[in-house]
Amino acid sequence: MIVMTPMGSAKSKPRTIDEYLKNAEDDQRRVLNKLRQTIRAAAPEAQECISYGIPAFRHNRRSLVFFGAWASHCAFYPGSAATLKNFRNELRNFQTSKGAIRFSPDKPLPVALVKKLVKTRIAENNDRANKKRRKS
């Protein structure tokens, strides 16, 4: 299957994060690999996947976080507007929207901040799973 990638060129749809990153620009690949390593360190039990056409991590079968390379920036998607809102002060130097944090390869997200975002998402997913179990 041929699709338009976030980087803007027609490529085969990636099935793995490695395949996705192969199509990124060198500077984006470097910073996204570091982001990937940081996510792995914060959530070693999470599984890598491609979701919505971009790299993602799942934890306990639930979406955890996503990231991607675009024509003019990279992005980290915590998968939760609440998480972004809770970290708005720490994210004030980055462009954010309801679900995304945009950054450039020359000004990546700080490792400590990414770890906090991932740990917060794990806690949100665990809380959601616990509430679901209590209702059952």
Side-chain angles (χ1 to χ4, degrees):
M1 169 183 225
I2 302 295
V3 294
M4 291 302 289
T5 67
M7 283 73 68
S9 60
K11 302 280 182 191
S12 296
K13 185 176 178 181
R15 292 171 301 187
T16 66
I17 293 178
D18 287 328
E19 286 179 14
Y20 179 92
L21 292 174
K22 195 184 315 179
N23 293 318
E25 297 293 327
D26 289 342
D27 58 342
Q28 291 176 324
R29 183 179 317 107
R30 179 184 40 78
V31 74
L32 292 179
N33 266 320
K34 174 111 179 177
L35 181 62
R36 179 187 191 185
Q37 292 170 354
T38 302
I39 295 165
R40 277 190 193 153
E45 65 285 349
Q47 299 83 37
E48 293 186 348
C49 62
I50 296 291
S51 184
Y52 300 103
I54 60 173
F57 282 80
R58 287 193 178 111
H59 180 260
N60 293 335
R61 297 185 307 236
R62 293 181 163 275
S63 294
L64 186 63
V65 295
F66 308 77
F67 61 90
W70 303 92
S72 61
H73 66 277
C74 294
F76 179 69
Y77 306 92
S80 166
T83 296
L84 278 173
K85 190 174 182 179
N86 290 337
F87 285 87
R88 69 179 160 262
N89 289 336
E90 293 178 71
L91 293 168
R92 68 183 170 277
N93 294 324
F94 296 93
Q95 184 183 8
T96 61
S97 64
K98 185 177 175 182
I101 304 163
R102 289 175 202 73
F103 58 94
S104 63
D106 60 331
K107 189 178 179 210
L109 290 171
V111 168
L113 178 57
V114 172
K115 286 182 178 181
K116 286 195 267 184
L117 289 163
V118 172
K119 298 273 186 194
T120 298
R121 286 291 296 131
I122 290 170
E124 285 178 0
N125 279 355
N126 288 340
D127 287 347
R128 195 172 295 130
N130 289 337
K131 286 178 185 176
K132 187 176 181 180
R133 276 193 290 268
R134 283 190 292 254
K135 286 183 180 181
S136 300

